[in-house]
Amino acid sequence: MSHTYVIMDFHNLIMRSRHGMRAPDAHGAIGMALHLTFSSIRKMWSDFNASHLIVAMEGRSWRRDVYEPYKANRRVTAAAR
């Protein structure tokens, strides 16, 4: 029996969902972001006929380590340090 693994960057997916739509309030935005995220997971599962899902969840982006000017024009928050 062969296995098909889908590797998903959860942080990227939830952020893209959150910033890719408009909702009238914060409660609606959270609900819609979760709906879009889980719909995307279901689509990936189906498209690739997956048997396993690996979820990568990291707090800090690797891009900052590789590319120093990454988001350099944004103010630094305590969570981003």
Side-chain angles (χ1 to χ4, degrees):
M1 175 181 208
S2 67
H3 298 287
T4 302
Y5 292 84
V6 171
I7 302 173
M8 182 194 72
D9 180 348
F10 187 79
H11 187 259
N12 182 325
L13 191 57
I14 195 81
M15 293 304 283
R16 288 175 51 134
S17 296
R18 189 177 122 209
H19 293 291
M21 53 81 192
R22 298 189 187 272
D25 57 22
H27 184 70
I30 292 167
M32 184 57 86
L34 288 171
H35 171 75
L36 291 171
T37 299
F38 289 112
S39 292
S40 297
I41 293 169
R42 185 171 22 133
K43 181 168 179 13
M44 284 187 286
W45 186 269
S46 175
D47 287 354
F48 294 103
N49 194 24
S51 59
H52 294 78
L53 175 67
I54 299 172
V55 180
M57 299 173 68
E58 63 177 276
R60 186 169 185 262
S61 174
W62 56 269
R63 291 172 187 91
R64 186 170 280 118
D65 297 330
V66 174
Y67 181 64
E68 189 175 327
Y70 177 69
K71 293 187 179 181
N73 62 334
R74 298 182 183 188
R75 67 182 160 89
V76 176
T77 63
R81 290 184 190 136

